[in-house]
Amino acid sequence: EAKTLVQLSNVPGVVLCGFYADCQLIMLYDHKHKAIGLLHAGWRGIAKEITRKTIEKMTELYGSNPNEMIAVVGPSICRSCFATDDDVPEKMRETFGDMVQEYMYKEGDKWRVDLKNITYTMLLRADILPYNIDVSNICPCCGDKSLFWSHRRNGEERGVQAGMITMAKKGILGIAMGSSEAVGYVNPKGQMTGRISELAFAPVDFNPASPKDEWSGNAGVGAMAFSQQAVNWLAEKYGFKFPKSMKLPERLKVVQAAMEKGDEKALKVYIQIGRFLAHAIPWYNEFYDYENMMILGRVTSGLGGDIILETAKMGLEAVAPEIAEEVDIFMPDEKARRLGQSVAAAQIPVVKKCK
């Protein structure tokens, strides 16, 4: 099996990070559709065409066009240092045919394989333009020992270097609408401040008759506007009937299914959440310096999320046009939306040994 790690994202501010030594760390950037990819490829991954498959996956998920993508291959082992047995050139020829023969030669009983040029050729074949490809000529094995680790050079003395890619956003407030409201904040310098952002219990609706949060006992707090609790009380207000034994996640599924069928009651639920959000954005902006707001969580999954987003944008233009010009409200892809606050944990990289 190829020891390969692939990470993809179209979420601004998310950092994709990979650890490696002699293998290739390949970074992809689609500037038009705002998507990034990072893959860790040893010779097995290269032979399994992991680069081409990753580019095709970005096309499938984000609509990426390889002609508009940029590819960067970090420092990786050179042909002079990559001495290997017959299995490597055999796999390369099996996958790519004679076109890779010029990148391999035999020296004594060992083969020297130029993985850098093989990857460059495969990027070209995947329709990435030559002036959008940058392959580092640095080799960790024969390069500066004070800067790079190499498993082949260092043997049992283990170490790695890291590579990362991200799409910058200046100041992001993330709101996950799940069982409650969860909030994360990155300031304009790209830093997590360490402050606790328990906005689930901060007021957003100052109407004294607004619903109370069961846990805190406070009325009009964020949890009652941006969570499954909000979906529940709004759904009941607009005519949904639920068995008393039905839990909030199941009630959400009922409303989501109704929304997919064009149910008017469900539409009202999501429109109202969007209106709450439109009024909350200027209020949150009093306390947080941000130019971007990301909404996610299971409440935003499906068609309902699109309605929340569009309603919030239109509402913000009406109630605070000056803020609407400064703040970009967006959602990640459907999978990330459903994961909600687990997205952050999902960015913790898996470290695998380079073969």
Side-chain angles (χ1 to χ4, degrees):
E1 291 296 320
K3 300 296 183 181
T4 305
L5 175 66
V6 176
Q7 302 172 60
L8 303 175
S9 178
N10 67 344
V11 182
V14 167
V15 178
L16 307 185
C17 181
F19 296 88
Y20 70 111
D22 295 316
C23 296
Q24 292 181 355
L25 200 69
I26 304 169
M27 288 166 275
L28 303 168
Y29 174 48
D30 173 5
H31 62 91
K32 183 175 182 179
H33 297 91
K34 304 301 180 187
I36 52 176
L38 182 144
L39 55 143
H40 173 182
W43 71 264
R44 292 180 179 85
I46 294 170
K48 287 179 178 288
E49 297 190 88
I50 190 62
T51 306
R52 175 183 62 79
K53 292 174 182 176
T54 301
I55 293 169
E56 289 176 351
K57 195 65 178 178
M58 290 181 69
T59 299
E60 175 190 334
L61 293 177
Y62 311 125
S64 299
N65 180 347
N67 287 170
E68 300 167 336
M69 295 173 70
I70 295 171
V72 175
V73 183
S76 61
I77 197 162
C78 68
R79 179 166 66 178
S80 298
C81 295
F82 189 43
T84 185
D85 296 322
D86 293 341
D87 56 341
V88 176
E90 286 174 1
K91 283 291 185 183
M92 295 299 167
R93 282 191 290 267
E94 180 183 313
T95 302
F96 304 118
D98 293 336
M99 71 168 58
V100 296
Q101 188 59 49
E102 63 178 303
Y103 305 127
M104 304 183 294
Y105 69 92
K106 199 161 189 180
E107 187 177 76
D109 62 346
K110 293 291 185 179
W111 283 89
R112 303 286 178 172
V113 180
D114 188 349
L115 297 177
K116 292 176 184 280
N117 265 312
I118 291 176
T119 292
Y120 177 78
T121 302
M122 295 311 111
L123 288 168
L124 289 175
R125 290 190 69 196
D127 293 330
I128 294 188
L129 300 175
Y131 53 80
N132 284 337
I133 302 173
D134 187 355
V135 181
S136 172
N137 60 7
I138 297 173
C139 171
C141 189
C142 61
D144 190 335
K145 293 181 181 180
S146 67
L147 295 178
F148 301 102
W149 285 91
S150 167
H151 290 334
R152 286 182 176 258
R153 184 189 67 215
N154 294 86
E156 294 301 316
E157 185 184 1
R158 294 299 185 184
V160 294
Q161 46 264 359
M164 60 186 68
I165 182 171
T166 186
M167 294 182 293
K169 279 277 192 180
K170 294 183 178 180
I172 302 178
L173 187 69
I175 297 181
M177 303 183 191
S179 55
S180 184
E181 179 192 11
V183 175
Y185 175 62
V186 176
N187 70 19
K189 294 182 179 180
Q191 301 166 335
M192 297 181 68
T193 63
R195 68 191 290 182
I196 297 176
S197 298
E198 280 288 5
L199 297 187
F201 306 115
V204 293
D205 183 354
F206 294 90
N207 183 343
S210 58
K212 291 183 179 180
D213 167 55
E214 184 179 36
W215 189 83
S216 67
N218 295 326
V221 296
M224 300 306 292
F226 312 121
S227 72
Q228 293 174 18
Q229 296 177 70
V231 172
N232 178 56
W233 76 262
L234 286 169
E236 290 184 330
K237 174 182 177 180
Y238 294 130
F240 279 87
K241 303 294 183 183
F242 303 113
K244 288 186 178 180
S245 59
M246 183 178 283
K247 303 295 185 182
L248 291 183
E250 298 305 315
R251 297 186 183 198
L252 172 62
K253 290 179 181 179
V254 171
V255 177
Q256 287 174 328
M259 186 64 256
E260 295 300 323
K261 295 178 181 178
D263 185 272
E264 186 177 346
K265 299 189 300 293
L267 177 62
K268 289 180 179 180
V269 170
Y270 290 110
I271 288 176
Q272 187 57 52
I273 293 175
R275 288 172 177 164
F276 284 147
L277 186 60
H279 285 82
I281 290 170
W283 177 232
Y284 288 161
N285 199 238
E286 291 289 323
F287 307 98
Y288 294 87
D289 183 8
Y290 64 91
E291 295 179 3
N292 306 277
M293 173 175 283
M294 177 172 66
I295 59 171
L296 66 167
R298 285 192 177 270
V299 170
T300 67
S301 179
L303 182 57
D306 298 330
I307 294 168
I308 292 173
L309 180 63
E310 294 307 313
T311 303
K313 287 181 176 180
M314 290 189 294
L316 186 60
E317 289 177 0
V319 301
E322 70 286 357
I323 300 293
E325 290 183 3
E326 297 177 357
V327 176
D328 178 31
I329 317 167
F330 67 97
M331 290 189 300
D333 58 39
E334 178 64 25
K335 183 177 180 181
R337 275 190 263 168
R338 289 173 58 83
L339 289 171
Q341 54 197 301
S342 301
V343 169
Q347 303 312 315
I348 299 174
V350 177
V351 180
K352 296 190 176 183
K353 290 183 179 179
C354 177
K355 295 294 183 180

